[in-house]
Amino acid sequence: MDMNLNIGVIKGDGIGAEIVAEAMKVLDRTAEIYGHTCDYTQLLLGGASIDAHGVPLTDETVEKAKKCSAVLMGSIGGDAKVSPWYKLEPSKRPEAGLLGIRKALNLFANLRPAILYDELKGACPLKEEITEGGFDLMIMRELTGGLYFGERKTVEENGVMTAYDSLTYNENEIRRIAVRAFDIAMKRGKKVTSVDKANVLDSSRLWRKVVEEVAKDYPEVVLEHMLVDNCAMQLVKDPKQFDVVLTENMFGDILSDEASMVTGSIGMLASASLNETKFGLYEPSGGSAPDIAGKGIANPIATILSAAMMLRFSFDLDKEADAIEEAVARVLREGYRTIDIMSEGKTQIGTEKMGDMIASYIV
Ligand code: NAD
């Protein structure tokens, strides 16, 4: 069925415009081949919004984003040592815009795939016998609850300074992300590893109970529970065992960074933040890389793979997403590399050429 894809685009700052341009090129080519059309709405966020409006996020951006089916983003932020954006108070800086839009759009589920392509295994810090054949896992982190959003205070009690942070989850917050995790597992390897600390924490015991209830609706998906300390070890011992790793906010914060670093290539890592509808914000895991901005050397693959995730999760265009992922794999197989993933004997190319090649390999 032909579709008109209504996509918001936040180019952002630093390398943002360069990498988003390549992702749009690949999206346009994919749409052309599969009979869809892409309708883009440009949105301002972060430093670009500060320059235009004095604030990192405007109501206009939020309203326009809400009218889109999904938003593709480059990255926001600048070099804090030199950029005038960082002379502003923290609530007016570029990163505040990102937190603001996540909140305004109720993006509670953060997805970070960690894929080790066999061709890039040289960048992986793990031993070869562990990574042979590559791995492909997805960390699904709850993003709007738990310890980072609980009540906190620092008080003096009997002359001793004491700090409190509270970790709270209600069953609805757990259920909605568990449903998302099982839906996504159905599109992948049909396994969910739910990570908690149920031997200690009440919030984890409730987490486990609700996840088990949700699992009953997905008989095809295998569910296992794992304690977070064990998961941290297993990610480096045997990452191939994982498909979807479902976890709460703080555990996910730590585990998603661990999982992405075992791949060794920041320019390759996509991410998505979803709400209860099909809407999602899709962006590379890396930042705006001001050190290489404007040089035409940034790796656009993370953004291109984020666009593939967008087709898969917001538009249910699985074939089209597969085509993009396969085109990326082919470019790597043929030995083309941007500078960040370059190794001996390979062919180094720039941002634009990488986008051109991936677009030309869409079938
Ligand atoms: P960074 O991810 O921008 O850069 C870290 C290193 O990785 C740099 O050497 C950079 O050149 C390299 N790198 C990152 N993406 C790359 C790519 N696509 N291709 C090739 N190399 C790449 O992290 P940082 O330097 O700590 O942060 C820079 C700015 O980005 C800061 O303002 C920070 O707040 C912001 N940031 C934004 C996001 C986001 O938009 N979601 C995420 C992280 C950081």
Side-chain angles (χ1 to χ4, degrees):
M1 195 182 61
D2 297 356
M3 283 175 74
N4 179 32
L5 312 178
N6 172 16
I7 301 166
V9 174
I10 299 169
K11 288 183 178 161
D13 310 315
I15 58 169
E18 299 164 62
I19 54 183
V20 165
E22 302 315 310
M24 289 169 71
K25 189 186 280 174
V26 173
L27 276 172
D28 285 336
R29 180 72 186 135
T30 309
E32 188 187 334
I33 289 181
Y34 286 84
H36 310 299
T37 48
C38 293
D39 194 358
Y40 299 109
T41 305
Q42 298 293 336
L43 305 170
L44 285 181
L45 185 78
S49 176
I50 296 174
D51 289 346
H53 304 294
V55 287
L57 174 65
T58 60
D59 292 343
E60 188 194 347
T61 289
V62 173
E63 287 318 309
K64 279 186 175 172
K66 281 183 177 165
K67 291 200 180 94
C68 299
S69 304
V71 172
L72 179 69
M73 186 172 110
S75 47
I76 53 115
D79 182 343
K81 283 193 226 90
V82 294
S83 165
W85 300 328
Y86 295 87
K87 298 210 167 68
L88 301 166
E89 60 177 274
S91 66
K92 298 260 170 64
R93 291 178 192 169
E95 289 72 11
L98 189 55
L99 293 179
I101 199 164
R102 284 183 179 149
K103 194 161 170 223
L105 299 172
N106 197 22
L107 303 172
F108 64 83
N110 184 237
L111 267 72
R112 293 219 346 220
I115 302 173
L116 181 68
Y117 292 88
D118 208 28
E119 295 81 8
L120 298 181
K121 63 182 182 209
C124 176
L126 302 181
K127 279 192 195 143
E128 208 169 324
E129 66 247 37
I130 295 175
T131 56
E132 192 55 40
F135 56 79
D136 178 353
L137 62 95
M138 175 85 85
I139 306 272
M140 182 133 186
R141 164 190 173 191
E142 204 288 331
L143 206 56
T144 57
L147 197 61
Y148 299 168
F149 289 85
E151 273 178 45
R152 67 181 52 108
K153 62 179 178 181
T154 304
V155 290
E156 197 176 314
E157 287 170 351
N158 303 324
V160 180
M161 292 301 287
T162 308
Y164 295 85
D165 293 287
S166 48
L167 199 180
T168 315
Y169 272 105
N170 70 43
E171 58 180 310
N172 299 331
E173 290 170 313
I174 302 168
R175 191 168 293 108
R176 65 182 184 178
I177 188 152
V179 167
R180 275 293 175 151
F182 280 89
D183 282 344
I184 282 163
M186 286 296 288
K187 283 182 178 250
R188 296 173 43 98
K190 298 200 170 75
K191 180 177 175 189
V192 170
T193 304
S194 176
V195 174
D196 60 37
K197 189 72 183 168
N199 53 342
V200 180
L201 301 174
D202 262 20
S203 57
S204 283
R205 285 190 273 272
L206 181 63
W207 182 277
R208 209 174 260 221
K209 180 169 171 284
V210 175
V211 170
E212 277 175 3
E213 283 166 18
V214 172
K216 290 191 185 122
D217 294 332
Y218 297 84
E220 283 179 60
V221 178
V222 174
L223 168 67
E224 68 173 13
H225 300 284
M226 191 177 278
L227 296 175
V228 62
D229 41 349
N230 185 25
C231 185
M233 287 196 293
Q234 294 299 327
L235 277 171
V236 289
K237 195 168 161 235
D238 180 17
K240 277 185 262 183
Q241 71 183 285
F242 296 109
D243 178 28
V244 175
V245 176
L246 164 65
T247 193
E248 60 93 59
N249 201 344
M250 181 180 60
F251 298 160
D253 188 8
I254 299 164
L255 294 177
S256 60
D257 266 21
E258 184 189 1
S260 59
M261 278 308 109
V262 297
T263 72
S265 315
I266 186 87
M268 298 290 299
L269 298 168
S271 87
S273 302
L274 310 176
N275 67 17
E276 241 146 334
T277 69
K278 283 274 172 194
F279 182 92
L281 174 71
Y282 298 85
E283 54 174 318
S285 291
S288 57
D291 53 335
I292 56 166
K295 294 187 178 160
I297 58 171
N299 186 349
I301 293 180
T303 319
I304 291 168
L305 292 174
S306 301
M309 284 180 87
M310 178 177 77
L311 295 182
R312 193 182 301 287
F313 296 125
S314 284
F315 296 105
D316 278 322
L317 295 173
D318 288 331
K319 261 197 327 258
E320 290 80 343
D322 289 346
I324 295 178
E325 287 165 4
E326 181 44 40
V328 168
R330 182 172 162 195
V331 167
L332 296 176
R333 266 197 312 275
E334 292 183 358
Y336 296 100
R337 305 280 189 269
T338 43
I339 192 166
D340 56 312
I341 52 171
M342 183 59 191
S343 59
E344 218 182 305
K346 306 297 176 196
T347 311
Q348 190 174 317
I349 57 176
T351 312
E352 206 179 324
K353 176 85 171 144
M354 182 57 95
D356 286 343
M357 294 206 66
I358 294 170
S360 72
Y361 285 172
I362 302 288
V363 285

